[in-house]
Structures are given as structure tokens and as C-alpha cells.
Amino acid sequence: MSAPLLELTNVSRHFGGVRAVQNVSARIEAGEIVGLIGPNGAGKTTLVNVITGAHRATGGEIHFMGERVTNQKPYQAARRGLSRTFQIVQPFPSMTVRENVAAGALFAGKAISRRAAMDAAEAHLNFVGLGKLVDAPASTLTLPNRKRLELAKSLAMRPRMLLLDEVNAGLNLSEIDEALRLIREIAAQGVTIIIIEHLMKVVLGLSQRILVLHHGELTAEGAPEDILEDERVIEAYLGDRFAKRRQGAQS
Amino acid sequence: MSAFIGGKNLGLTIVLGVVAVLIALPFIGDNYLVRLATFLCLFSALALGWNFIGGYAGYPSFATAAFYGLGAYVGALLQNAGTPMPLAWLGAGLGCAIFAAALGPTLLRLKGHYFAVGSIAIVEIMRLLASIFADFTGGGMGLNVPILRGGPDFAGMVFLYAMLAVAAAAFLTTLAVDRGRLGFGLRCIQQNEDAANMLGVDVNAYKTAAFVLSAIFCGLAGAIYASWVAYIDPTDVFSILLTLKVPVMVLLGGAGGAYGPLVGVVAFMAMEELIWSNFLELHHGVLGVIIVILVFFLPGGLLKLRWPQILGRFRAGGDAKSEAKAAAE
Ligand SMILES: Nc1ncnc2c1ncn2[C@@H]1O[C@H](COP(=O)(O)OP(=O)(O)OP(=O)(O)O)[C@@H](O)[C@H]1O
Ligand SMILES: [Mg+2]
């Protein structure tokens, strides 16, 4: 069996007494779309932060493309092809939309010059539907457009793996459909995707495999249909009384 | 990037014009003007130097006088040890670059106020060190530097041209940085350092590069200053006033471009000259007043003002008055 694209081995991250991520082990193969779900505070964002170097791991190992990358710096993650979107979008407010994306192309996407980066930026902005706003200051964008900008920025980095942290939060139904179409297209280009999402419909429809985090631990893993049936997942989302009642009804 | 009225070419034309006048000045002006011009170039070099770290990277550095003073002392000591003057200056620039490269990675981990306080502390520490190691630096008694032979007019010309060369080098470096990868990365850092890091900018290397550039130009200016005045002491070159004045000049003109710092230096020095010659006792209040004006009225500096609109409003005001007059008649 060949090495997976991303391999997590007993990864932990604690904040003082809070075990935000606890002993998580997982393998993500190249080309997969993996959903990462779990209730609020389960540790999803923290796990993304540890993978991309924004936080140091308290314990465990991370390998990306066979290389040990535990506690890499964020810029190293970016250059290795690990790119992420922020749950709370982080533009460069007084730069134009095009410059925001060009930065990704120049510093992580290996664009050879600022000129080339600007051109690449324009293509990515057209792709996410911001082609008409390239010269607007990023601070003037609406929330849905900021999310699109976030996506264009990540794409400009030419990632091998894209970690999407709630890119759909705050979008309406038609905007979500549009976002899903984009994500499928990105995946079709060969980018491996980990998607964090609260809307079950979205994750289940998109993902080939689901990882469930609860209190920082990986409690379940499997195909979307199986996950829906899993007691631990129901317990995590709806509370253990509901799960017990269900169990009682089944026996 | 520059919001100069009429665009970049006008800015460049004005700069080239001023440079031509400065080159001609020793032949057409008196000693007072040459001296003033030398200070203009000195502060331009310091302001453009500060702009790399303070403007582009957005780190509020008060380390200017640390580099300036270190440059002055290294240059003076090298000259006293028999090094030819121009080589002593280059040695001072190199020394400051090494100092900033060693200090940067630690100091630049501090953010905002902490960085500001940390950087001003460096100036104080350097001043103390220069005072304590009296055997080496002359301590509070100061340090004499060999006087340039050839008479005051010749010396005036040499030091004006030397300062002008440093200011010009700082300006050209700024233009290159502004257009290149470094300037873009620094602007990303200034806007959102974490996001820049996530986007592939090696933030520590970039910030340190800006700090080193800043140190080189401030150090060169300091070394030339030491040769020019032929005597330095710790309070003169590790000066808190200087360390405050330079960022105020840059902010007055507009930080983070090639032209803002120059506009700021000219505006500041013009104000200083005006007040200095007319109300001597008010002189010390100038810096304070400018800081207050900057904070409340000019957050983006003079260059970021919307000049066309302001001029337009004056014109509109005039029109309104004449219309009112016409109506009254
Ligand atoms: N920087 C931090 N300092 C201290 N505690 C933190 C920090 N970041 C996260 N935590 C804690 O770690 C736990 C996991 O938080 P995290 O943001 O990873 O959850 P999440 O699954 O992304 O939640 P959500 O669905 O609300 O986004 C929470 O208890 C949170 O309070
Ligand atoms: Mg989260």
C-alpha cells in the first residue's frame, strides 16, 4: 500500500486543560473528498490549524506526501501544497481583490513574477465568479463574496490538498449550490479536499468519506450512509439520551 | 501605489529636479543652504530607511537612532583606526546590517506596542553601552573624528553629496522593493500577518529583511554624520528625539510608498525652519503639535489627502461666493 497524501498519527492539541484535539489518527488518500464533522467545539478548526502549522501539535506526528511535517510553519505548509480557508475570512482589507489572490499565486503558487501572479489571480477570480470585482478593495466585499475570495486565494496557491473550514456558513441556498459546484470542479482537477461543514446535506452529498470528531477525539469514520446510522454520531449530535432511546427501540 | 497628484511620473520628475538643484547647490548657494540641504538628505535617508519596516511592514519601529548611532560609532572608530572615510562608511552600513539581522528575528516577534517599546529600549541600551565602554568609545566625553581636509566649502560639498547618495540609494531601493516580491509580501504582513504566513510568505525572513534595509540606510547616514560634524557623543547620536522625529516625518507625508516619506521630510523641515526662525521658544512644541495633527486629521499622511476634491471645494467655495454676490446685486 502506497503512502497516503496526509497521515495523522495520534495528533493532539491541548489548550491548558482543554483537550481540543486528542489522539487523532487518520489517513487521507490523494483525490479523496473527506468530510470532517462534529458539534461546536469538537476541535475541527483546531485540527486544521495543527495540520497547516497555525498551531503546534501537543503530541503526535503528521506526514504529508511521505514527508514528516509536524509543526511546520504555516508558510511551509502553503508552499508544500496544503492550503486552507478560514472559518472567519481573513482578507488583506485595503488591497484589491486581485492583489489578495495574486499574493497566493506569488508566494505559494510559484508564480514567477508579480505580473504572472496578477494574471493567474484574474483567472481564479473568474472561476469563482468574482471577475467583475477584481479591482474593488477587499474590505468592500459582501460576506458571500468574501467567501469566494477566500476560495480563489486558496486556489491560486495551487494546492494539493484544500482544507475548507465552513466555506458555506452564512450563504443562502442558491449560493451554497454554487459553492458546491465549485468545490466539485476543484476536486475534479485532482485537488484532495477536507471539508468542514455543519449542514449535513452538504457534507453527505459531497464527501466520499466522513470523519467524526467529538470532544477532540475521532469517534467514527466511514461512508456517508453508514455514518448516518452510527450511534456515536447521533449521540454526539443529539445527546446520549436520544441514542439510548433509539437503542431501546431497536432491541 | 503612490497617490501622488498626477501619478508617478510627476513624482519622479520632481525628485529628479530636486536632485539636480542639490547637486548644483554648493556652487550657487551659501553655507547655510548647503548645511540645510545636507540635513534634508540626512532625514530623507532616515525616513526612507524607517519606511521599510515602519511603512511597508507596519512595525512601529523606534530603533532608528539605534542604527544611526551604531553607524556613527562604527564609522568613527573605523576612521580613527585609519580606515579611509568612504570605507569606514560602508563598514558602518555593513555593521548595522549584521546587527539588525541578529536582532530582528527576536525583536520582530513582538507586535504592536510591545515592539514599539522593545525597539526604543534598544536605543537606550545602546546609549548606555556607548557611555559605559569609555575606553573604547570615549564615553560621555564623546569621540573625535578626523576632520576632512580641504576647507569648509569642499567638506560641505563632499558631505552633501555623500548624504544625497545615501538618500538616492534609499529611494531607488524603495522603488525596487515597492515593485517587487519583497514589497508585496511586506504589505501583506502589514495588512494581516497571520494570513500572509498562511499564504506562503516567510514572514520572519521578510520582516528581518525590512529591518536590515532600514538599518543599512540609517547606519550609513549616521556614519556620514559623524564624519561631517567630526565629533559624536552618546546623547547626540542615540537620540530619542531623532527616533521619534523620523516616524513622525514619514507619517506626515504618508507611509508605505516611495514619495510619502520625502514629502513628510520636506513638510516637517519647512515647518521647523519657519517656526525656528520666527518663534524660537515654540520650537519644542512643533513635534507635539504635528503628532496631534497626524493622529486626529491625517491618518494617511499628506499624500493620501484627496487633493483634487480639496482644491475643487476651494474653487466651488469661490464660485458660490461670486454667485451669491451676483444674486445680491
Ligand atoms: N486558541 C485557542 N485557545 C484556547 N482554546 C481554544 C483555542 N482554539 C480553540 N480552543 C478550544 O478548543 C476547542 C475546540 O475548538 P474548535 O474551534 O477547534 O472547534 P470546532 O469544532 O471548530 O467548533 P465550531 O464548529 O464551533 O467551529 C474548544 O473548546 C475551544 O474553546
Ligand atoms: Mg471551527
Side-chain angles (χ1 to χ4, degrees):
Chain A
M1 195 166 149
S2 72
L5 183 65
L6 178 72
E7 184 169 24
L8 308 177
T9 318
N10 296 323
V11 172
S12 298
R13 168 71 209 205
H14 302 166
F15 295 105
V18 179
R19 298 177 170 195
V21 172
Q22 179 65 14
N23 273 328
V24 169
S25 295
R27 298 163 67 92
I28 313 284
E29 305 293 336
E32 270 192 302
I33 304 181
V34 175
L36 181 59
I37 63 171
N40 286 329
K44 306 179 295 290
T45 298
T46 305
L47 186 59
V48 169
N49 282 337
V50 172
I51 293 172
T52 55
H55 287 158
R56 292 181 70 82
T58 310
E61 295 289 345
I62 302 169
H63 287 84
F64 186 66
M65 304 208 311
E67 187 187 358
R68 182 180 175 280
V69 298
T70 321
N71 296 333
Q72 62 190 329
K73 296 270 173 7
Y75 78 90
Q76 294 171 321
R79 292 178 187 182
R80 285 187 172 117
L82 264 166
S83 135
R84 57 91 60 93
T85 62
F86 286 91
Q87 184 169 359
I88 299 156
V89 288
Q90 305 246 358
F92 301 123
S94 66
M95 289 190 191
T96 66
V97 165
R98 192 205 319 258
E99 285 175 318
N100 264 270
V101 179
L106 189 62
F107 295 108
K110 302 178 182 71
I112 41 166
S113 67
R114 256 168 88 161
R115 187 62 177 279
M118 290 294 200
D119 292 344
E122 188 138 7
H124 292 297
L125 284 164
N126 285 330
F127 176 72
V128 302
L130 282 180
K132 290 207 176 88
L133 291 170
V134 288
D135 292 318
S139 59
T140 62
L141 294 187
T142 59
L143 180 71
N145 281 341
R146 281 182 197 210
K147 297 259 174 188
R148 292 193 180 102
L149 173 61
E150 207 43 34
L151 195 59
K153 241 159 108 172
S154 313
L155 290 176
M157 294 163 69
R158 305 211 139 275
R160 289 201 167 77
M161 175 178 265
L162 190 54
L163 299 104
L164 301 169
D165 195 355
E166 311 211 6
V167 271
N168 296 311
L171 302 189
N172 67 31
L173 285 178
S174 74
E175 287 160 352
I176 289 177
D177 280 344
E178 168 69 12
L180 289 184
R181 190 183 64 72
L182 288 178
I183 294 169
R184 285 209 177 85
E185 253 181 80
I186 295 164
Q189 290 166 13
V191 179
T192 307
I193 289 176
I194 296 184
I195 177 165
I196 296 176
E197 185 52 73
H198 273 294
L199 292 170
M200 278 305 201
K201 184 187 109 162
V202 172
V203 221
L204 297 176
L206 201 61
S207 314
Q208 295 150 358
R209 197 154 64 91
I210 305 276
L211 304 176
V212 185
L213 264 187
H214 188 36
H215 294 319
E217 292 182 55
L218 205 59
T219 51
E221 173 177 357
E225 348 26 297
D226 302 336
I227 286 295
L228 265 187
E229 295 297 311
D230 196 295
E231 276 153 30
R232 283 162 301 188
V233 178
I234 295 162
E235 190 181 308
Y237 271 89
L238 303 171
D240 54 349
R241 269 200 321 179
F242 184 88
K244 284 207 188 89
R245 212 185 311 148
R246 211 175 106 109
Q247 217 170 13
Q250 272 171 352
S251 60
Chain B
M1 260 307 281
S2 141
F4 212 93
I5 328 154
K8 277 180 183 158
N9 287 336
L10 179 60
L12 203 57
T13 312
I14 293 175
V15 168
L16 289 175
V18 171
V19 168
V21 171
L22 290 175
I23 291 173
L25 206 59
F27 307 102
I28 56 175
D30 57 9
N31 280 341
Y32 170 76
L33 273 183
V34 171
R35 194 181 134 81
L36 193 66
T38 310
F39 271 115
L40 184 79
C41 294
L42 166 59
F43 279 109
S44 298
L46 294 179
L48 288 164
W50 182 85
N51 194 38
F52 291 115
I53 186 71
Y56 284 97
Y59 270 66
S61 170
F62 292 107
T64 308
F67 301 136
Y68 180 75
L70 182 65
Y73 269 96
V74 172
L77 291 170
L78 283 175
Q79 255 188 282
N80 284 343
T83 315
M85 189 170 74
L87 284 182
W89 296 344
L90 292 179
L94 183 68
C96 287
I98 294 169
F99 177 69
L103 185 68
T106 317
L107 190 64
L108 290 161
R109 236 177 260 172
L110 302 175
K111 304 257 155 77
H113 303 85
Y114 295 98
F115 175 78
V117 172
S119 64
I120 209 165
I122 304 291
V123 179
E124 282 301 288
I125 292 168
M126 303 280 288
R127 192 164 59 92
L128 276 176
L129 289 178
S131 307
I132 290 168
F133 291 103
D135 291 348
F136 194 45
T137 62
M141 297 292 292
L143 192 62
N144 286 310
V145 186
I147 293 175
L148 184 67
R149 269 175 286 178
D153 289 348
F154 174 71
M157 183 172 79
V158 168
F159 292 117
L160 171 61
Y161 287 174
M163 283 297 187
L164 178 60
V166 175
F171 179 73
L172 293 176
T173 308
T174 304
L175 288 185
V177 166
D178 193 86
R179 280 165 205 183
R181 220 181 156 86
L182 179 58
F184 197 12
L186 290 175
R187 276 171 60 218
C188 291
I189 291 172
Q190 184 257 324
Q191 300 258 301
N192 185 337
E193 186 167 337
D194 287 335
N197 198 346
M198 293 279 175
L199 226 57
V201 180
D202 183 349
V203 292
N204 288 330
Y206 273 61
K207 287 188 295 186
T208 303
F211 204 48
V212 168
L213 283 177
S214 181
I216 289 174
F217 294 111
C218 296
L220 285 170
I224 296 170
Y225 172 80
S227 305
W228 181 31
V229 297
Y231 168 82
I232 53 172
D233 70 39
T235 37
D236 181 27
V237 292
F238 294 111
S239 150
I240 293 295
L241 188 64
L242 179 115
T243 236
L244 293 175
K245 209 160 139 177
V246 170
V248 169
M249 286 171 156
V250 178
L251 296 176
L252 180 63
Y259 298 99
L262 297 177
V263 170
V265 168
V266 170
F268 190 101
M269 286 187 64
M271 259 187 277
E272 225 178 20
E273 279 301 305
L274 211 74
I275 294 168
W276 183 259
S277 51
N278 295 320
F279 326 92
L280 194 56
E281 64 284 6
L282 290 183
H283 170 248
H284 284 298
V286 177
L287 191 65
V289 171
I290 293 180
I291 292 175
V292 171
I293 291 174
L294 275 177
V295 171
F296 287 102
F297 302 110
L298 276 179
L302 289 171
L303 271 191
K304 290 275 159 65
L305 284 178
R306 299 176 171 196
W307 287 105
Q309 264 118 314
I310 292 173
L311 296 177
R313 199 181 305 157
F314 274 117
R315 216 165 293 139
D319 289 351
K321 259 183 225 150
S322 52
E323 269 166 37
K325 215 169 145 197
E329 279 169 5

